[in-house]
Amino acid sequence: MRTFFPSDSCKESQLNAINPQSWLQVERGKLSKLSSSHTNSSSIESFIKVTEPPILPFFKPIDYVEVLAQIHEEMESCSPQERSTLYLLQFQIFRGLGETKLMRRSLRSAWQRAGTVHEKLVFGAWLRYEKQGEELIADLLATCNKCAQEFGPVDVSQLQVEVNGCLKETVVMNGDKSLENVNFKIGDEIIVCDRQKIASLSAPFHAMLNGYFTESSSQDIDLSENNISPLGMRTIGEFSITGSLSEVHPDFLLEILVFSNKFCCERLKDACDRKLASLVCTKDDAVEFMEYAIEQNSPVLAASCLQVFLHELPDCLNDERVVEIFSHADRQQRSIMVGQASFSLYCLLSEVAMNLDPRSDKTVCFLEQLIESAETDREKLLAFHQLGCVRLLRKEYDEAEGLFEKAVSLGHVYSIAGLARLGYIKGHKLYSYEKLSSVVSSVNPLGWMYQERSLYCEGDKRSEDLEKATELDPTLTYPYMYRAASLMLKQNVQAALAEINRVLGFKLALECMELRFCLYLAIEDYKAAIRDVQAILTLSPDYRMFEGRVAASHLRTLVREHVGSWTTADCWMQLYDRWSSVDDIGSLSVIYQMLESGGAKGVLYFRQSLLLLRYAHTSSLLWTF
């Protein structure tokens, strides 16, 4: 999955941090073999560590089949406007299962069946975000006419806005033909307009020019105090006759927008709104115009600005001006900005922010907005649980506890794991064990329940719970990692490797590859170690090991000193051999080295994509059986 949510369990009680350089001396032969007298279990223990599994910010129902069936039934009878929301909920369920392919299918369905322009914007941006890193493959396929451009810009002019019709022209009360026109004085300039055309722009103008006000019998009207320029007023006069806006500078359009709002000129405002929307091209434009769009209640302009922001995810969230707009929008401002798709928008923003930094203030702000946007119980429990996970990471334990309790009260049993973890942190280990035991005995148990309970017991009880967790859910990585590390501490190298290979045989989990990398280092199998670290870098170039303290690329540099260098010919030969023997991780490793050295990158990216598709297919087959 795209989301990497680091564990909150890096507490003082854990073993001291290791220094990788001490294990990877530049000169060969400085590390003692595992079998030597200098190596003991404590030195291995300081190097091979398994952190506690994180509380994941996902929706995890007790009975997935029942919930998915319920959603399917609702889709059969719901209105078209509600369907995309149900697909979003379906996406969240598949996300909890780790089913990337089904997640994307749900997002695509939500995008295809979006009932509004705003939903089209949000789900299209979400699909683009999920496909980041695959652009080169898409380009390669496009050259073969195998892939069409999709999720492109949405025409925000399709956004429907209710606009009042024209007021009927009425005869001037005193019948004076000289009053067929009206002269608007602005400063030293006079702008001559058709009285009835101007009157037809809005009810206030109609009352002023044709009613019982003094202006109805006046030829000249002073508008100098209404913040409209002569050019702006001439443009308004032309619009009253032609029904369209001429080409003017954006500053004058903004001026006209404010004026039309003040005098309730709905047709003029809508035309100005759409004209400005067509001018939004850059993020700076969007930041500037979004403020006017919200102040002047201009939904088309706001949608155009939103599209620019979403198109630049995740980079735009590094701009504090953009974060400020999304973080502090109230209910009315959210309605102007994204219509009825507030929950969908903040689901997307929250996920992107968590991937960037789950502990950041902006992540908290987006999740708080998600809670405010939630309407149904299912939406609320997801929002409460996600914010609870973030509060837990930030060590804001009291706030996290309250949020998990709210999620549990709405029926999210998985949030009990968060309450149990908080109890453990506060020193109530028995309370946590009993809380999980109560869940196991009261519902049809799932693998995560036994995995979580194993953290609060020792010895055989822990081993039994982890075995049960694997039996119920073979995709949980922590039990394999714990057993592999335990076997390594007993210096049973082959058994440890066999255990971690069990999960890597069907699930390409980076944390498992990192652990195997450590196992190989401990026995000085540097060729195998560099294979794993290069595969990790292929999948995640910025990956950091040892609880985020060391860049994987740095460890690769250190390990490389212990292995011979490959020529381009060697790389191609190794790639051919590994591809033939279906050694996927080895193939990813060789691909990484070849990409670094240049060459036919299109072919390499294509082979890389096939490897990843094979892993995704294997994972899907696992759930079939």
Side-chain angles (χ1 to χ4, degrees):
M1 291 182 60
R2 172 179 290 276
T3 303
F4 172 64
F5 209 75
S7 173
D8 64 302
S9 58
C10 307
K11 298 184 284 291
E12 292 79 2
S13 60
Q14 291 183 332
L15 298 166
N16 294 329
I18 57 94
N19 178 11
Q21 283 87 340
S22 67
W23 282 77
L24 288 169
Q25 302 296 334
V26 175
E27 299 173 17
R28 297 189 187 189
K30 288 192 176 181
L31 285 176
S32 302
K33 296 289 184 184
L34 187 65
S35 57
S36 72
S37 58
H38 299 289
T39 303
N40 53 54
S41 62
S42 62
S43 64
I44 300 171
E45 190 174 5
S46 68
F47 184 56
I48 299 171
K49 300 193 301 178
V50 178
T51 57
E52 296 165 2
I55 305 298
L56 299 171
F58 303 149
F59 179 26
K60 287 180 170 285
I62 293 297
D63 191 332
Y64 285 94
V65 174
E66 180 183 353
V67 174
L68 288 170
Q70 183 181 354
I71 292 172
H72 182 73
E73 287 180 3
E74 291 178 26
M75 285 180 183
E76 294 293 318
S77 58
C78 73
S79 65
Q81 292 76 18
E82 297 173 314
R83 195 158 292 152
S84 60
T85 304
L86 290 171
Y87 278 116
L88 174 58
L89 179 61
Q90 188 184 71
F91 162 84
Q92 296 292 355
I93 294 170
F94 288 136
R95 187 169 178 240
L97 284 169
E99 284 294 314
T100 305
K101 185 176 181 180
L102 295 177
M103 285 164 54
R104 289 191 181 180
R105 184 183 296 172
S106 296
L107 280 182
R108 181 184 289 273
S109 296
W111 175 73
Q112 290 171 335
R113 292 164 176 78
T116 67
V117 170
H118 294 116
E119 288 178 337
K120 203 82 171 177
L121 287 175
V122 171
F123 290 117
W126 206 330
L127 283 162
R128 281 196 305 273
Y129 176 70
E130 288 291 325
K131 286 177 171 287
Q132 280 185 349
E134 300 175 14
E135 293 86 354
L136 289 167
I137 302 300
D139 292 343
L140 180 64
L141 293 174
T143 61
C144 306
N145 296 321
K146 296 292 185 182
C147 183
Q149 181 71 22
E150 57 182 352
F151 317 131
V154 174
D155 182 5
V156 296
S157 65
Q158 297 175 12
L159 184 62
Q160 299 297 315
V161 179
E162 186 176 344
V163 179
N164 293 331
C166 301
L167 294 169
K168 291 183 179 180
E169 296 183 11
T170 57
V171 179
V172 181
M173 291 173 59
N174 58 14
D176 189 344
K177 296 208 176 188
S178 65
L179 295 183
E180 287 180 356
N181 291 333
V182 60
N183 301 326
F184 291 110
K185 181 181 180 183
I186 300 174
D188 297 329
E189 295 195 42
I190 301 295
I191 296 91
V192 180
C193 298
D194 185 303
R195 177 181 290 269
Q196 298 311 319
K197 295 294 185 183
I198 292 293
S200 69
L201 289 178
S202 71
F205 270 132
H206 186 273
M208 180 175 71
L209 298 175
N210 292 328
Y212 297 95
F213 291 93
T214 304
E215 289 85 354
S216 65
S217 58
S218 300
Q219 182 79 37
D220 301 318
I221 298 175
D222 192 345
L223 288 181
S224 299
E225 303 300 322
N226 286 278
N227 297 319
I228 188 71
S229 66
L231 178 58
M233 196 64 219
R234 284 194 190 92
T235 305
I236 294 171
E238 291 174 9
F239 176 84
S240 70
I241 297 170
T242 65
S244 61
L245 284 169
S246 58
E247 295 297 328
V248 294
H249 192 275
D251 290 344
F252 290 106
L253 285 174
L254 290 170
E255 180 184 290
I256 296 168
L257 178 65
V258 175
F259 182 87
S260 64
N261 232 0
K262 181 176 182 179
F263 287 93
C264 305
C265 305
E266 296 300 330
R267 288 188 301 115
L268 176 62
K269 176 187 172 183
D270 183 64
C272 199
D273 188 6
R274 295 175 188 277
K275 191 77 163 180
L276 283 167
S278 68
L279 302 177
V280 181
C281 300
T282 67
K283 183 178 65 178
D284 290 336
D285 292 339
V287 169
E288 179 184 357
F289 285 128
M290 183 63 91
E291 182 180 352
Y292 284 97
I294 291 174
E295 285 181 359
Q296 302 302 321
N297 190 12
S298 302
V300 182
L301 177 58
S304 184
C305 297
L306 177 65
Q307 178 163 229
V308 171
F309 292 148
L310 296 182
H311 186 74
E312 296 190 17
L313 286 175
D315 294 339
C316 75
L317 294 190
N318 294 320
D319 189 324
E320 289 302 319
R321 300 172 300 169
V322 177
V323 173
E324 181 78 12
I325 290 169
F326 287 131
S327 298
H328 297 95
D330 58 27
R331 187 180 186 87
Q332 181 180 359
Q333 291 169 341
R334 290 195 302 269
S335 178
I336 296 169
M337 185 165 53
V338 72
Q340 300 301 310
S342 290
F343 186 79
S344 302
L345 171 64
Y346 284 98
C347 268
L348 169 59
L349 294 177
S350 300
E351 178 171 328
V352 176
M354 281 191 283
N355 290 336
L356 291 172
D357 181 4
R359 296 178 176 85
S360 68
D361 291 340
K362 64 187 168 191
T363 302
V364 172
C365 287
F366 292 158
L367 286 170
E368 287 174 342
Q369 290 279 26
L370 185 66
I371 290 173
E372 288 187 23
S373 303
E375 296 182 356
T376 66
D377 285 350
R378 289 184 299 204
E379 291 176 347
K380 290 175 183 176
L381 69 84
L382 172 65
F384 284 134
H385 178 75
Q386 288 189 329
L387 185 54
C389 291
V390 170
R391 295 289 188 193
L392 177 59
L393 277 179
R394 289 162 60 100
K395 298 185 178 180
E396 298 166 355
Y397 298 136
D398 291 340
E399 293 90 339
E401 184 174 17
L403 290 161
F404 284 135
E405 286 175 347
K406 288 178 181 178
V408 171
S409 69
L410 291 170
H412 195 224
V413 177
Y414 179 60
S415 294
I416 291 176
L419 294 174
R421 194 70 63 92
L422 286 166
Y424 179 54
I425 290 171
K426 294 177 181 180
H428 308 304
K429 188 174 180 179
L430 181 59
Y431 160 84
S432 300
Y433 182 84
E434 290 176 346
K435 201 163 191 66
L436 266 299
S437 297
S438 175
V439 174
V440 168
S441 61
S442 60
V443 298
N444 188 25
L446 299 174
W448 66 259
M449 299 174 186
Y450 286 98
Q451 174 179 275
E452 185 66 24
R453 192 174 71 171
S454 73
L455 305 178
Y456 315 123
C457 54
E458 303 293 340
D460 292 341
K461 282 188 176 181
R462 172 173 285 192
S463 298
E464 290 172 7
D465 275 356
L466 290 175
E467 288 292 346
K468 189 66 176 177
T470 300
E471 178 186 332
L472 292 172
D473 186 353
T475 66
L476 294 173
T477 58
Y478 175 77
Y480 299 97
M481 296 172 68
Y482 180 85
R483 288 190 291 263
S486 298
L487 289 166
M488 195 66 180
L489 293 179
K490 298 174 183 176
Q491 301 193 13
N492 193 341
V493 181
Q494 295 307 316
L497 288 170
E499 182 63 32
I500 202 65
N501 285 337
R502 285 176 63 196
V503 63
L504 285 173
F506 65 86
K507 185 174 184 180
L508 200 59
L510 296 183
E511 66 271 19
C512 294
M513 291 177 65
E514 178 182 347
L515 177 60
R516 192 171 70 173
F517 167 81
C518 295
L519 297 179
Y520 283 135
L521 283 188
I523 61 174
E524 294 188 25
D525 187 346
Y526 298 122
K527 288 186 177 180
I530 201 167
R531 177 194 68 186
D532 280 351
V533 74
Q534 287 188 168
I536 288 172
L537 287 167
T538 307
L539 298 165
S540 180
D542 299 322
Y543 190 80
R544 300 185 67 84
M545 295 183 169
F546 302 108
E547 297 170 349
R549 291 191 295 274
V550 186
S553 57
H554 180 54
L555 288 173
R556 175 179 169 274
T557 301
L558 294 172
V559 175
R560 184 185 272 172
E561 297 295 330
H562 298 269
V563 298
S565 59
W566 293 344
T567 66
T568 304
D570 292 332
C571 287
W572 278 112
M573 286 301 297
Q574 291 223 16
L575 181 59
Y576 175 78
D577 292 340
R578 294 191 181 283
W579 187 267
S580 301
S581 62
V582 202
D583 185 347
D584 292 349
I585 292 176
S587 297
L588 288 173
S589 171
V590 179
I591 285 172
Y592 180 86
Q593 185 156 337
M594 296 181 74
L595 288 171
E596 264 200 335
S597 60
K601 293 191 176 183
V603 175
L604 294 174
Y605 280 120
F606 184 67
R607 287 199 167 202
Q608 181 189 67
S609 71
L610 293 181
L611 285 168
L612 298 178
L613 284 172
R614 184 153 62 199
Y615 264 105
H617 179 65
T618 304
S619 179
S620 299
L621 285 178
L622 177 70
W623 282 104
T624 304
F625 295 102

